[in-house]
Amino acid sequence: MNIIVTGGAGFIGSNFVFHMLEKHPDYRIICLDKLTYAGNLSTLKSVMDNPNFRFVKLDICDREGVYKLFEEEHPDMVVNFAAESHVDRSIKDPSVFLQTNIIGTSVLMDACREYGIKRYHQVSTDEVYGDLPLDRPDLFFTETTPIHTSSPYSSSKAGADLLVMAYHRTFGLPVTISRCSNNYGPYHFPEKLIPLMIVNCLHDKPLPVYGEGLNVRDWLYVEDHCRAIDLIIHNGTVGEVYNVGGHNEMKNIDIVKLICHELGKPESLITYVQDRKGHDMRYAIDPTKIHNELGWLPETKFADGIKKTISWYLENREWWEEIISGDYQTYYERMYGQS
Ligand code: NAD
Ligand code: TDX
């Protein structure tokens, strides 16, 4: 089985690459990644010499390059993680989100139509459902919840999902979509809540909490997400959407306080800052479908996952210090002598 994994130098994509190489030692994994600010080739250091792994620096919007890669590799499947993923950046500048998240998705699917494919899997997000009110803990996102987006990021992801379903209906492309809640774990880029708070705590820097910190997110350990995608691409039904989440809702402020506590830092580091524009209040996934149809259940409890994650950031300072200093962006040139 040849699988193209796009965005595999990012947070979830890299964890998926590791998962697949370990769980399916007979598969060939081709990682296609543009190496934007969020992509870090040093993350993939441990698999670069694996004969079943190939890294290709490429933009998913580059039609010629993508088609050439399909001609070379004859992939059986494509799993598309490549995206601009940070809501705050999408509020500052939506355009690259539309380009990568929507146009890039269409280029990948055109290549799948041109060369044939067993499965195209789109890694989507619970944010396409918009948000839920804080005073209705009985409500959850199911796969039939209407798309109702808030940010340019979530709108671009929703646009991509609509295109994916359209390519299935119009062209018969064998697609699946997963919509997952907030992930956390190793290699999470330190602009997102959990790694940002860990790194700032370690530098005794202020911990910027938006608004009153009452927004709720449904956290899932990244390896549980990777297992869910592995199950969907092998056993999921073509044309279907699967929600992925672990019923682990937490207020932002409680997460930040927990991180302070775990690292022995004072809560006085917490600084309330201006709220995010259009800030979604609550995300909460109903994962009944993936549980009933594919037998998926999360394995890592938040109490254990957050400890593992904090330990990882303590043991891998070099990884995030290079990001903060910007040095990681020269890693590719240093390794491969080209840009
Ligand atoms: P990330 O920002 O850490 O990584 C994105 C990767 O995509 C980077 O390696 C980047 O270089 C690459 N990339 C960006 N633009 C590209 C382009 N034009 N061509 C090729 N590569 C490109 O993101 P993440 O948090 O790992 O998220 C991965 C996917 O999962 C995204 O599609 C995101 O929408 C989705 N998702 C994320 C979460 C979460 O909590 N992080 C939750 C649900 C869904
Ligand atoms: O400095 C911060 N302070 C703060 O209060 C940051 C970076 C975030 N927050 C809040 C905003 C959110 O309510 O924390 C919450 C989590 O924020 P992010 O880590 O930016 O994640 P979120 O906006 O929930 O989106 C994430 O989950 C869904 C991913 O980044 C998306 O790619 C994914 O689709």
Side-chain angles (χ1 to χ4, degrees):
M1 184 83 77
N2 279 1
I3 304 187
I4 291 186
V5 176
T6 72
F11 165 44
I12 310 174
S14 61
N15 279 283
F16 185 73
V17 166
F18 302 145
H19 168 93
M20 293 300 281
L21 287 171
E22 196 187 319
K23 288 283 149 39
H24 306 281
D26 51 332
Y27 285 14
R28 177 170 164 78
I29 305 294
I30 304 106
C31 169
L32 177 175
D33 197 297
K34 184 182 178 182
L35 298 182
T36 67
Y37 81 93
N40 185 348
L41 199 58
S42 77
T43 299
L44 295 170
K45 230 171 4 197
S46 64
V47 295
M48 282 311 241
D49 294 332
N50 185 323
N52 290 337
F53 179 76
R54 177 183 173 196
F55 177 81
V56 181
K57 184 172 186 283
L58 188 63
D59 185 338
I60 57 168
C61 302
D62 174 354
R63 188 173 290 272
E64 207 179 308
V66 169
Y67 281 33
K68 184 166 167 281
L69 185 64
F70 272 65
E71 264 168 34
E72 284 169 17
E73 293 290 350
H74 307 287
D76 299 290
M77 294 191 188
V78 172
V79 182
N80 182 25
F81 290 91
E84 288 293 332
S85 69
H86 193 36
V87 174
D88 293 325
R89 287 180 188 255
S90 84
I91 295 167
K92 289 230 164 359
D93 179 12
S95 59
V96 67
F97 285 74
L98 308 184
Q99 184 64 22
T100 287
N101 299 2
I102 301 178
I103 304 296
T105 296
S106 76
V107 169
L108 288 173
M109 290 194 298
D110 285 340
C112 291
R113 288 177 57 213
E114 181 78 19
Y115 295 98
I117 197 97
K118 291 196 184 91
R119 180 68 63 88
Y120 173 86
H121 182 76
Q122 178 73 3
V123 180
S124 185
T125 168
D126 59 358
E127 298 200 18
V128 300
Y129 299 122
D131 64 352
L132 296 164
L134 289 182
D135 60 356
R136 289 293 307 274
D138 55 315
L139 295 181
F140 296 93
F141 298 135
T142 71
E143 289 79 2
T144 54
T145 300
I147 301 282
H148 182 81
T149 55
S150 312
S151 70
Y153 163 69
S154 54
S155 304
S156 68
K157 293 296 289 185
D161 283 14
L162 293 174
L163 260 185
V164 171
M165 295 317 278
Y167 271 60
H168 173 60
R169 175 158 172 164
T170 307
F171 305 117
L173 196 71
V175 306
T176 39
I177 296 178
S178 51
R179 293 184 180 143
C180 190
S181 57
N182 286 59
N183 285 214
Y184 69 102
Y187 301 108
H188 204 179
F189 197 83
E191 66 184 350
K192 308 281 170 57
L193 180 75
I194 289 183
L196 180 76
M197 296 300 157
I198 295 173
V199 164
N200 280 13
C201 261
L202 291 173
H203 284 149
D204 296 303
K205 279 174 64 176
L207 308 175
V209 171
Y210 298 162
E212 295 176 85
L214 300 178
N215 307 64
V216 169
R217 296 292 182 266
D218 182 1
W219 294 94
L220 185 72
Y221 194 64
V222 62
E223 173 61 17
D224 282 327
H225 185 190
C226 295
R227 278 194 306 105
I229 294 173
D230 187 357
L231 271 176
I232 295 167
I233 60 178
H234 288 99
N235 304 331
T237 305
V238 162
E240 291 291 315
V241 173
Y242 293 89
N243 281 356
V244 185
H247 279 306
N248 183 65
E249 292 177 50
M250 294 193 61
K251 285 194 209 109
N252 293 341
I253 188 65
D254 292 340
I255 300 243
V256 177
K257 285 183 179 169
L258 178 67
I259 291 170
C260 287
H261 178 78
E262 289 289 332
L263 287 170
K265 299 291 178 175
E267 287 182 11
S268 56
L269 286 175
I270 294 173
T271 313
Y272 292 93
V273 299
Q274 195 186 9
D275 209 352
R276 175 183 279 175
K277 288 192 174 80
H279 200 170
D280 282 335
M281 282 317 298
R282 171 176 169 247
Y283 301 145
I285 281 280
D286 176 354
T288 306
K289 177 173 172 178
I290 190 168
H291 175 59
N292 287 348
E293 288 188 17
L294 305 179
W296 178 87
L297 275 178
E299 285 178 359
T300 302
K301 291 199 177 63
F302 187 78
D304 301 328
I306 193 72
K307 280 197 171 72
K308 268 206 274 188
T309 303
I310 291 173
S311 299
W312 188 88
Y313 280 84
L314 285 169
E315 285 156 18
N316 291 274
R317 284 189 86 108
E318 201 185 322
W319 182 85
W320 55 265
E321 277 172 353
E322 284 213 330
I323 288 176
I324 288 166
S325 71
D327 281 354
Y328 76 110
Q329 284 179 314
T330 61
Y331 182 86
Y332 190 87
E333 289 79 348
R334 279 187 277 131
M335 284 293 288
Y336 301 98
Q338 51 177 298
S339 62

